[in-house]
Amino acid sequence: MIRRVWRPAVAAAMGACAFVGMAAPAPAAPQPPQARAAASGYLNLHQCMYYSSSATNHFSTVVTSSDGRFAAGTNVSGTADSQVSCGAGDGNYQVVPILSGVKALNLASGRYLNLHQCVYYSSSATNHFTTVVTSSDGRFAAGTNVSNTADSQVSCGAGDGNYQLVPILSGVKALDLTSGSYANLHQCMYYSSSASNHFSTVVTSSDGRFAAGTNVSNTADSQVSCGAGDGNYQLVPILSGVKALALG
């Protein structure tokens, strides 16, 4: 009778061969690139309304005019602003606190910055003005917000009886905060010499005539982008401006 002798060395060799023969685990599949994280901090949107009694004319700024005379304190910060910050004007046009205002928008609360632009008009004064945030007295409302929903319909107050909403000049723009590092706010000021009347746009008017290049991008805009107007109302470059706000 032939006896088979089990040798530990042979067993170890067989075990090693079995181990070597096992298939290595497949590498993990590459993960798709992640979308840019939502922005953080507060976009403090400061709206400054100016008025000339001699011209019976209002206009608003959300960013400082190119010539620096009409300042607005719009910024991005870790702090929510509660007091509006405006320049004093140029002597002829002075700030109107009751029609100015500030809104602190929590950038972490949603994907979209929905900018609502509401243009009001008085036929008796032949005078337009624009709100992007609600006036301090609450009469002239604008629905600007941050949300996970992209707004497609502008939300505005009805006005105060004397000044009424002009839907065709109003508008809304939903800015995707995950699509870039900067919110570039473009402010375009238009003027009619025949009516001695200014008004501003931050988003393009609903009829497309009065364009403003506000966007979110990985590039900080340094040149304001505006439409030419409609012939009666023409662009005033010195009162227009752009501000690139870094999204934290």
Side-chain angles (χ1 to χ4, degrees):
M1 177 181 295
I2 299 174
R3 294 183 178 178
R4 296 180 180 274
V5 179
W6 186 257
R7 300 180 184 278
V10 173
M14 291 176 64
C17 290
F19 181 80
V20 170
M22 290 177 61
Q31 296 299 308
Q34 296 295 310
R36 182 187 179 277
S40 62
Y42 293 91
L43 169 53
N44 295 302
L45 199 54
H46 291 249
Q47 170 184 288
C48 300
M49 189 72 70
Y50 295 92
Y51 180 69
S52 167
S53 57
S54 62
T56 319
N57 180 217
H58 295 84
F59 65 79
S60 61
T61 61
V62 176
V63 303
T64 299
S65 60
S66 293
D67 63 0
R69 287 181 297 159
F70 300 100
T74 294
N75 67 86
V76 170
S77 170
T79 303
D81 292 351
S82 59
Q83 297 293 320
V84 65
S85 175
C86 301
D90 67 349
N92 186 21
Y93 283 82
Q94 298 177 323
V95 72
V96 184
I98 201 169
L99 295 179
S100 302
V102 61
K103 188 163 190 177
L105 298 156
N106 184 349
L107 294 173
S109 64
R111 177 173 177 174
Y112 297 97
L113 168 60
N114 295 303
L115 283 174
H116 291 250
Q117 169 182 288
C118 303
V119 178
Y120 295 91
Y121 180 70
S122 167
S123 56
S124 61
T126 319
N127 184 25
H128 294 86
F129 64 78
T130 304
T131 61
V132 179
V133 305
T134 300
S135 59
S136 293
D137 62 2
R139 286 181 297 159
F140 300 100
T144 295
N145 67 85
V146 173
S147 169
N148 282 317
T149 302
D151 292 350
S152 58
Q153 296 293 319
V154 66
S155 175
C156 300
D160 67 348
N162 185 22
Y163 283 82
Q164 298 178 322
L165 182 68
V166 186
I168 202 169
L169 296 179
S170 302
V172 61
K173 188 162 190 178
L175 298 164
D176 186 348
L177 295 170
T178 69
S179 65
S181 302
Y182 297 93
N184 296 301
L185 296 183
H186 291 249
Q187 169 185 289
C188 302
M189 189 72 70
Y190 295 93
Y191 179 69
S192 167
S193 57
S194 62
S196 299
N197 183 24
H198 298 82
F199 72 89
S200 59
T201 60
V202 178
V203 305
T204 299
S205 59
S206 293
D207 63 0
R209 287 180 297 159
F210 300 99
T214 294
N215 67 85
V216 171
S217 170
N218 283 319
T219 302
D221 292 351
S222 58
Q223 296 294 319
V224 65
S225 175
C226 300
D230 67 349
N232 184 22
Y233 282 82
Q234 297 179 322
L235 183 68
V236 185
I238 202 169
L239 296 180
S240 303
V242 62
K243 188 162 190 177
L245 298 159
L247 301 172

